[in-house]
Amino acid sequence: MKKFLASFLAVFLLTLPVVAQAGTVTVKGSDTMVILVQRWAEEFMKKNPDSKLQVTGGGSGTGISALINGTTDICMASRPMKDTEVAKLRTRFNTTGTEIAVAKDGVTFYVHENNPLNSLTQEQLKGIYLGDITNWKQVGGPDAPIVVYSRENSSGTYTFVKDNLLGGEDYTASAQTLPGTAAVVNAVAKEKNGIGYGGAAYAKGVKELKIKVGSDELAPTAENIKSGKYPLSRDLYFYLRSKPSGEAKSFIDFALSTEGQQIVNKVGYFPVK
């Protein structure tokens, strides 16, 4: 009987969800936001040595699921929550949650540094990601097949591009799906015929394509993001189940402070205010 109870207890403990240590504020979600939020957390904990923050990625969808399941305090999301997700949160916690825009970003398309192209129109980018354009010569580049890289469908950036560039249509089946923006950038840096996308802060070791709008070639700069000229601008969000309080509120207040927004600039994104 004792052996049975010991075995049962061991199995039971193994099936329990992993939770953060007491007193730790957990932040989970968008891979786009991880590098920014980790910097915020580092600086916040330097100023508040007794505070503990745990920041992990996994994608906006993963973070939103964790918020709905009650396994994270703060969700990072590079897209707004969907109506279906808000409905699930309401069913579980009787709340529609709290949305806080904490930074701005311009979704950027990367190509290899040796790619001669400097800009593409939104229609050309759409054609590439739908699979209608498969060779660089179709958009004024070299005669070479285009190697398309994309994010996984739990990514907020994946959803943003699908909704705002592809008009809700599905990505080409030939797109190679990668688990994070850093992986996309690394792949494009090695593949001379590659193209990928992600947050502006990740464009290191690759060429950042401008988006051609009429006679203008627009880069995701602070000026173009602030003015709204860059067509793939977006807010980056924190989501909580209720209004922030305690340590979570102190951390969010820091992120939105003058010092916190200066960190946004240093990382490569753009202040929300």
Side-chain angles (χ1 to χ4, degrees):
M1 183 66 177
K2 288 182 179 179
K3 289 183 179 180
F4 170 77
L5 288 173
S7 299
F8 173 79
L9 182 60
V11 172
F12 175 75
L13 290 172
L14 285 171
T15 58
L16 285 175
V18 177
V19 296
Q21 296 177 358
T24 299
V25 175
T26 56
V27 190
K28 187 174 182 62
S30 168
D31 286 308
T32 296
M33 297 176 66
V34 163
I35 54 173
L36 170 59
V37 180
Q38 284 177 340
R39 283 288 301 279
W40 277 338
E42 288 166 8
E43 294 304 316
F44 180 78
M45 287 189 286
K46 283 179 186 177
K47 295 176 179 298
N48 302 275
D50 294 332
S51 299
K52 295 180 182 178
L53 286 102
Q54 183 183 81
V55 181
T56 55
S60 298
T62 299
I64 291 169
S65 293
L67 189 74
I68 293 168
N69 294 334
T71 55
T72 192
D73 299 308
I74 301 173
C75 160
M76 305 177 284
S78 60
R79 62 164 175 85
M81 283 183 68
K82 300 174 184 176
D83 291 343
T84 53
E85 293 165 336
V86 173
K88 289 178 182 177
L89 190 64
R90 185 189 295 112
T91 298
R92 180 92 186 254
F93 294 102
N94 194 30
T95 175
T96 56
T98 298
E99 175 188 280
I100 303 171
V102 292
K104 288 183 176 292
D105 178 31
V107 172
T108 305
F109 285 82
Y110 325 114
V111 293
H112 192 272
E113 288 182 317
N114 294 335
N115 192 309
L117 295 175
N118 294 312
S119 66
L120 290 174
T121 67
Q122 290 186 82
E123 280 303 308
Q124 288 171 325
L125 289 168
K126 180 178 179 180
I128 290 170
Y129 272 85
L130 291 180
D132 299 329
I133 297 173
T134 57
N135 193 295
W136 284 112
K137 70 179 180 181
Q138 293 174 262
V139 291
D143 185 3
I146 301 174
V147 180
V148 179
Y149 295 105
S150 180
R151 290 292 312 282
E152 72 282 15
N153 60 14
S154 63
S155 159
T157 309
Y158 169 102
T159 302
F160 181 88
V161 170
K162 182 175 180 177
D163 291 345
N164 292 276
L165 181 69
L166 306 187
E169 295 186 61
D170 289 331
Y171 287 77
T172 174
S174 64
Q176 299 183 40
T177 302
L178 297 174
T181 308
V184 171
V185 170
N186 185 55
V188 173
K190 293 178 179 178
E191 172 52 67
K192 65 180 181 179
N193 296 316
I195 185 170
Y197 61 83
Y202 281 85
K204 306 291 191 299
V206 290
K207 179 186 283 190
E208 187 178 270
L209 283 178
K210 297 174 182 177
I211 295 182
K212 192 181 297 182
V213 180
S215 60
D216 294 328
E217 293 184 336
L218 301 171
T221 62
E223 182 182 351
N224 289 335
I225 297 294
K226 186 177 180 181
S227 68
K229 285 184 179 180
Y230 189 74
L232 294 177
S233 303
R234 60 177 175 173
D235 285 334
L236 302 177
Y237 302 98
F238 278 164
Y239 282 101
L240 299 90
R241 282 179 291 278
S242 57
K243 289 184 178 180
S245 61
E247 203 73 2
K249 183 180 186 303
S250 297
F251 175 59
I252 294 169
D253 287 345
F254 171 75
L256 293 173
S257 70
T258 300
E259 183 180 354
Q261 293 294 292
Q262 287 173 347
I263 292 172
V264 173
N265 273 326
K266 289 176 184 177
V267 170
Y269 292 122
F270 311 98
V272 75
K273 60 179 183 178

